[in-house]
Amino acid sequence: MLFLNNFIPREYQKDDIASRIVKSVVAIDVFIISSSLIFSLFYIYINFSFGYCISFYTAISSVLHILLIRYGKNPTFTSDFFVFQIVTALFAMMYFTGGATSPFSIFLLLICPMPFLFLEKKRATVWAIITGTCFIVLAALQIGGFDFPKEISDQLSQSLSLINFILSLIIFTITVREFHMGFRKINKKLKSSNSQLLNSNEELERFAYIASHDLKSPLRSIISFIGLLEKRYGKDFDENGKQFLKIISSNAENMHHLVEDILEYSKSNKRKIKSEEVNMNHVLTHISDESLSVELFQDCKILFGNLPIINSDYTLIKQVFQNLIENGLKYNQNLKKIVSIQYLDKEEHYFLIKDNGIGIDPAYFERIFEMFQRLHNKDEYQGTGIGLAICNKIILQLGGKIWVTSKVGEGSIFHITLPKSNATHTFNLAKETSVEALPVH
Ligand code: ADP
């Protein structure tokens, strides 16, 4: 094998897999050269002139192929030459040994799919078509009565068939083995880069967790001292001073929300997911009570009908629904802000969270689920751009899917599917709830 290394061009040596493949092709060539030379001696011995011509041709073209691999600049051309050399030799042999019924036909049939192993699909198809067409032409000529020369006896022809068959099997096995090993190597490489990615991802999340966790307490004390400052000395400030204090306070609040959200996001990987009975009616009632008590959402409505009891994690489900409902009420200019939750009993649990808010441009349907993606600035709507990223992460962890459909100015619908487990309860619930008939909360 060390000898073969000399034939591998430098550009292939850098890549382990490429050099292995080139080495195997060169090995096949060396195999063809040596077997052709042995055959030619045999053909000389039995006085089969065409046989030794073709054997020498095969040996010489294989040497040329190796030189092309070593010094050629175009790998595709080299591979084409390889196929050309084999196909030409085969057809010449078939022509002189009985046409389509020649023992070499078996060899041809086995060689035909080989280009697909090392050429791109289009080129390999062209070669397969060329090979197939030539074979059909030979067969058609034979059926039409054309008499192909037949220089070998039946007995010899049978032995040759056998040898050809064994040869092609060996070549085929070597090639498949080499490719298999190549794929195994690729898989190994993929696995190791995957685990590297996972590690750096974990490191990043740990960093985000530690950074946001450690930022939390100094920030809390900044906010409370700003409050104290406002309370005790607020009156002593002039208008500019009061304005500055307000800006400091609102920025500190923004930072606090951001730190909280980043912490929440990085915590979501560490959490153990529970599997418990979650009554969605209770979840929605809790959310309604909590959200509608916030001053900003006091005149809003949250509608939901008879929802199912599902098997999931109560805290996570509540977090997702609360986030989506509050977004629906927040990104909303309507005088009567409404968010409704509908359930469809499909193959999976299917929830629709509809709002009559400002809507979302379809161009952003996927981006809003990424971290820090906001479609509005903080002066228009408060937010950090992390809420939907958390929802997406949670729903994926629960084995479900989340996506949005919307029209600008006509509200949005967030769709959530969650897997049904065997333990899922479906008693005492309407199979589906329609928004029109929903009670008001
Ligand atoms: P945040 O609300 O904290 O900015 P989110 O991740 O929850 O972050 O939302 C990302 C962006 O998606 C928001 O900034 C907003 O522009 C848009 N968005 C989310 N929900 C809605 C909704 N119901 N209607 C319109 N836009 C929305």
Side-chain angles (χ1 to χ4, degrees), residues 238-361:
D238 64 5
E239 272 317 302
N240 269 350
K242 281 181 188 160
Q243 187 62 23
F244 292 162
L245 211 58
K246 220 174 173 182
I247 293 171
I248 296 172
S249 164
S250 105
N251 277 309
E253 279 296 336
N254 283 345
M255 200 168 164
H256 176 70
H257 288 310
L258 191 62
V259 165
E260 284 280 335
D261 282 357
I262 294 177
L263 196 60
E264 194 56 50
Y265 186 82
S266 47
K267 264 199 294 193
S268 53
N269 260 1
K270 294 184 179 58
R271 245 180 327 229
K272 262 204 156 184
I273 296 170
K274 285 191 216 149
S275 175
E276 56 195 345
E277 273 181 15
V278 180
N279 187 331
M280 290 304 291
N281 297 298
H282 294 170
V283 174
L284 267 296
T285 312
H286 284 173
I287 295 174
S288 293
D289 293 345
E290 274 175 37
S291 302
L292 298 182
S293 64
V294 177
E295 203 184 323
L296 187 69
F297 303 138
Q298 259 169 11
D299 297 327
C300 304
K301 278 184 179 136
I302 298 171
L303 314 179
F304 58 93
N306 204 3
L307 298 175
I309 297 168
I310 64 171
N311 209 290
S312 197
D313 184 309
Y314 184 92
T315 321
L316 297 182
I317 288 287
K318 181 170 170 261
Q319 192 177 352
V320 170
F321 276 76
Q322 186 147 17
N323 217 318
L324 297 178
I325 290 170
E326 291 188 357
N327 270 355
L329 301 176
K330 182 167 73 169
Y331 299 102
N332 203 319
Q333 302 279 8
N334 221 304
L335 284 179
K336 288 183 179 166
K337 300 177 174 56
I338 303 173
V339 173
S340 53
I341 294 87
Q342 192 180 351
Y343 172 73
L344 300 175
D345 189 16
K346 301 239 169 163
E347 248 173 69
E348 296 190 291
H349 294 301
Y350 190 170
F351 295 95
L352 296 116
I353 298 101
K354 289 186 190 179
D355 65 59
N356 60 347
I358 56 174
I360 299 165
D361 186 325

Side-chain angles (χ1 to χ4, degrees), residues 261 323-324 327-328 330-331 355 357-360 368 370 373-376 382-389 412 414:
D261 282 357
N323 217 318
L324 297 178
N327 270 355
K330 182 167 73 169
Y331 299 102
D355 65 59
I358 56 174
I360 299 165
I368 55 168
E370 290 167 19
Q373 290 293 338
R374 302 207 71 225
L375 310 182
H376 309 94
Q382 281 287 326
T384 57
I386 302 181
L388 289 181
S412 315
F414 282 84

Side-chain angles (χ1 to χ4, degrees), residues 6 19 57 74-75 80 91-92 119 149 164 200 232 248-249 280 302 309 312 354 366 376 384 404 416 427 430:
N6 299 319
S19 86
Y57 164 84
N74 186 344
D80 279 336
F91 275 104
L119 278 180
N164 283 333
S200 57
R232 288 202 195 160
I248 296 172
S249 164
M280 290 304 291
I302 298 171
I309 297 168
S312 197
K354 289 186 190 179
E366 280 176 21
H376 309 94
T384 57
V404 66
I416 291 181
F427 56 79

Side-chain angles (χ1 to χ4, degrees), residues 106-119 124 128 131 172:
I106 302 166
F107 201 18
L108 183 86
L109 289 177
L110 282 166
I111 277 316
C112 201
M114 247 179 85
F116 285 96
L117 293 174
F118 50 84
L119 278 180
T131 319
F172 189 74

Side-chain angles (χ1 to χ4, degrees), residues 1 11 40 54 60 84-85 126 130 137 153 158 204 224 239 241 273 287 305 323 332 341 355 384 388:
M1 277 306 193
E11 63 265 30
S40 53
I54 215 73
I60 288 163
F84 172 78
Q85 148 214 337
V126 170
I130 292 175
V137 170
S153 69
Q158 275 160 17
L204 262 177
S224 54
E239 272 317 302
I273 296 170
I287 295 174
N323 217 318
N332 203 319
I341 294 87
D355 65 59
T384 57
L388 289 181

Side-chain angles (χ1 to χ4, degrees), residues 24-283:
S24 65
V25 172
V26 177
I28 292 173
D29 267 321
V30 171
F31 181 73
I32 291 174
I33 295 166
S34 34
S35 48
S36 316
L37 291 178
I38 293 168
F39 271 119
S40 53
L41 289 177
F42 170 68
Y43 291 137
I44 290 170
Y45 171 72
I46 61 165
N47 223 355
F48 178 37
S49 55
F50 174 70
Y52 54 74
C53 284
I54 215 73
S55 287
F56 277 125
Y57 164 84
T58 314
I60 288 163
S61 50
S62 293
V63 171
L64 273 177
H65 187 241
I66 293 177
L67 292 178
L68 263 176
I69 290 176
R70 182 71 188 84
Y71 301 106
K73 289 274 169 267
N74 186 344
T76 318
F77 176 69
T78 315
S79 308
D80 279 336
F81 180 78
F82 181 60
V83 184
F84 172 78
Q85 148 214 337
I86 292 177
V87 170
T88 333
L90 265 172
F91 275 104
M93 285 164 100
M94 282 171 68
Y95 181 88
F96 287 100
T97 54
T101 51
S102 152
F104 297 105
S105 306
I106 302 166
F107 201 18
L108 183 86
L109 289 177
L110 282 166
I111 277 316
C112 201
M114 247 179 85
F116 285 96
L117 293 174
F118 50 84
L119 278 180
E120 53 164 308
K121 211 172 163 191
K122 255 189 198 165
R123 293 185 91 84
T125 314
V126 170
W127 275 114
I129 291 171
I130 292 175
T131 319
T133 316
C134 291
F135 182 78
I136 291 166
V137 170
L138 282 184
L141 282 174
Q142 206 156 19
I143 293 165
F146 187 85
D147 209 10
F148 286 100
K150 202 168 186 237
E151 290 195 14
I152 45 177
S153 69
D154 281 351
Q155 203 187 4
L156 187 60
S157 137
Q158 275 160 17
S159 332
L160 278 175
S161 309
L162 194 68
I163 292 166
N164 283 333
F165 185 68
I166 293 166
L167 265 183
S168 34
L169 266 187
I170 292 170
I171 291 175
F172 189 74
T173 316
I174 293 175
T175 320
V176 169
R177 188 182 147 271
E178 287 301 315
F179 274 86
H180 190 68
M181 280 169 76
F183 283 126
R184 272 226 308 256
K185 273 250 155 110
I186 290 171
N187 250 342
K188 231 177 159 180
K189 259 192 174 176
L190 270 178
K191 265 188 192 157
S192 93
S193 51
N194 201 19
S195 79
Q196 272 171 13
L197 266 178
L198 280 176
N199 280 346
S200 57
N201 215 11
E202 239 174 56
E203 251 170 47
L204 262 177
E205 284 192 356
R206 216 176 305 135
F207 169 76
Y209 177 80
I210 293 167
S212 48
H213 188 264
D214 290 359
L215 277 176
K216 230 172 113 170
S217 59
L219 201 56
R220 216 181 285 136
S221 95
I222 291 174
I223 290 170
S224 54
F225 276 99
I226 293 172
L228 266 178
L229 198 67
E230 256 178 335
K231 227 181 192 174
R232 288 202 195 160
Y233 308 105
K235 315 181 251 358
D236 303 337
F237 285 122
D238 64 5
E239 272 317 302
N240 269 350
K242 281 181 188 160
Q243 187 62 23
F244 292 162
L245 211 58
K246 220 174 173 182
I247 293 171
I248 296 172
S249 164
S250 105
N251 277 309
E253 279 296 336
N254 283 345
M255 200 168 164
H256 176 70
H257 288 310
L258 191 62
V259 165
E260 284 280 335
D261 282 357
I262 294 177
L263 196 60
E264 194 56 50
Y265 186 82
S266 47
K267 264 199 294 193
S268 53
N269 260 1
K270 294 184 179 58
R271 245 180 327 229
K272 262 204 156 184
I273 296 170
K274 285 191 216 149
S275 175
E276 56 195 345
E277 273 181 15
V278 180
N279 187 331
M280 290 304 291
N281 297 298
H282 294 170
V283 174

